[in-house]
Amino acid sequence: MNIAVITGASSGMGNEFVKAIDRAYALDELWVIARRTERLESLKAECKTPIRALSWDLSAPENQHAYKTLLEEVQPHISLLVNAAGYGLFGEAKDLDVDNQLGIVALNDAALSAMCFYSLPYMQHSDAIVNLGSNSSWQPVPYMTVYAASKAYVLSFSRALGRELKTRGIHVMCVCPGWIKTEFFDRARHDDTITYYDRWYTAGQVVERAMRDLKKKKPVSIMGFPVRMQVRLVKLLPVSVVMNTWCRQQKKD
């Protein structure tokens, strides 16, 4: 059985990846993973590829192990793994719920890593892993402290894992978009801590670019020339300057 696995599939980037993969790949099944069963089930009417809906909260280790067990039972070939599940919180770290902040690390980093490790035995030459990073992957971001750090992990992990898997012919790409209009903000933004947004893209635009970059086997996919130029600038400037600029933009200096 030839499959693709997409986490965070119920909305936003994950949902767009499901539809894009359905259009681009000839597969036996799409395994879609998220917490909201009804959202996953609705994909069956939107995709030509059969959908296996797995209603799991991947931040819970027992659901990561359930995925491992299912793989052992079915023994599929995973052509593509997309780790799009994740969330963030905006605000001063001292004011945010500690459990929710630790949950960011559990889902964005620990679960993503587990999905990669458990999937790799079922992947082979020319298969690929796509991990969702962020424009925040490139620098520390005050008032998005844990989220930005979690995405820095995703970028570093993806690059290093991709280098290790090069000899096996398995490609790893990290998608690092700027601001995207998705349900992410319904959870992340609960006050006016973050008020400045320089430019917006849609999830569809980012995924379309990512699918093109995946074909080219790029290690990182960044939607938008302005965002790519910003990333280059951030690499050259001292971290203190980057953080000070961000804080001034958010009127926090």
Side-chain angles (χ1 to χ4, degrees):
M1 177 184 289
N2 190 20
I3 70 169
V5 180
I6 305 97
T7 74
S10 62
S11 65
M13 292 281 292
N15 191 269
E16 289 293 334
F17 265 115
V18 172
K19 296 170 185 175
I21 293 166
D22 178 60
R23 292 191 297 267
Y25 283 72
L27 299 164
D28 296 309
E29 281 188 353
L30 293 174
W31 289 16
V32 297
I33 304 174
R35 295 176 301 165
R36 292 176 287 187
T37 305
E38 69 285 353
R39 290 283 192 92
L40 297 179
E41 291 293 335
S42 69
L43 287 168
K44 294 179 179 180
E46 301 179 55
C47 298
K48 68 179 188 298
T49 310
I51 296 288
R52 185 180 296 226
L54 303 169
S55 303
W56 291 333
D57 177 358
L58 288 175
S59 63
E62 59 267 25
N63 289 328
Q64 299 165 21
H65 295 151
Y67 174 68
K68 177 177 180 289
T69 299
L70 183 60
L71 289 175
E72 292 169 347
E73 292 173 354
V74 179
Q75 293 290 312
H77 165 222
I78 302 175
S79 292
L80 179 61
L81 167 66
V82 177
N83 283 304
Y87 74 96
L89 295 171
F90 300 167
E92 291 193 48
K94 67 178 179 60
D95 296 332
L96 297 173
D97 180 79
V98 173
D99 288 341
N100 283 337
Q101 293 190 81
L102 296 177
I104 295 172
V105 179
L107 183 58
N108 295 10
D109 298 336
L112 177 145
S113 302
M115 291 297 293
C116 290
F117 297 147
Y118 291 148
S119 298
L120 279 173
Y122 303 90
M123 305 182 80
Q124 57 194 33
H125 193 278
S126 298
D127 296 334
I129 296 171
V130 175
N131 292 328
L132 185 58
S134 167
N135 196 29
S136 302
S137 298
W138 308 96
Q139 68 278 315
V141 185
Y143 309 105
M144 297 167 54
T145 308
V146 177
Y147 174 74
S150 77
K151 292 303 185 178
Y153 172 93
V154 173
L155 176 61
S156 179
F157 174 82
S158 299
R159 283 173 155 173
L161 184 64
R163 183 61 184 84
E164 290 185 18
L165 295 176
K166 187 175 181 180
T167 56
R168 287 183 55 187
I170 298 173
H171 181 63
V172 181
M173 184 177 77
C174 188
V175 181
C176 293
W179 299 112
I180 316 171
K181 292 182 178 178
T182 68
E183 292 180 18
F184 170 89
F185 284 89
D186 295 338
R187 185 172 188 180
R189 192 175 187 274
H190 57 89
D191 58 25
D192 61 354
T193 299
I194 304 298
T195 57
Y196 173 80
Y197 306 93
D198 51 356
R199 60 186 57 81
W200 290 92
Y201 297 97
T202 67
Q205 288 175 309
V206 174
V207 170
E208 182 181 1
R209 171 71 193 225
M211 295 297 286
R212 292 201 307 268
D213 288 344
L214 184 61
K215 286 185 178 179
K216 297 175 183 177
K217 295 191 180 302
K218 291 190 175 183
V220 178
S221 176
I222 303 174
M223 174 65 203
F225 178 78
V227 181
R228 291 194 289 276
M229 292 302 100
Q230 183 185 70
V231 169
R232 290 187 180 183
L233 184 61
V234 162
K235 290 179 179 180
L236 297 174
L237 294 172
V239 170
S240 60
V241 172
V242 174
M243 288 196 292
N244 287 342
T245 301
W246 164 260
C247 288
R248 283 197 298 272
Q249 289 172 335
Q250 305 304 336
K251 297 180 173 58
K252 299 297 180 184
D253 55 342

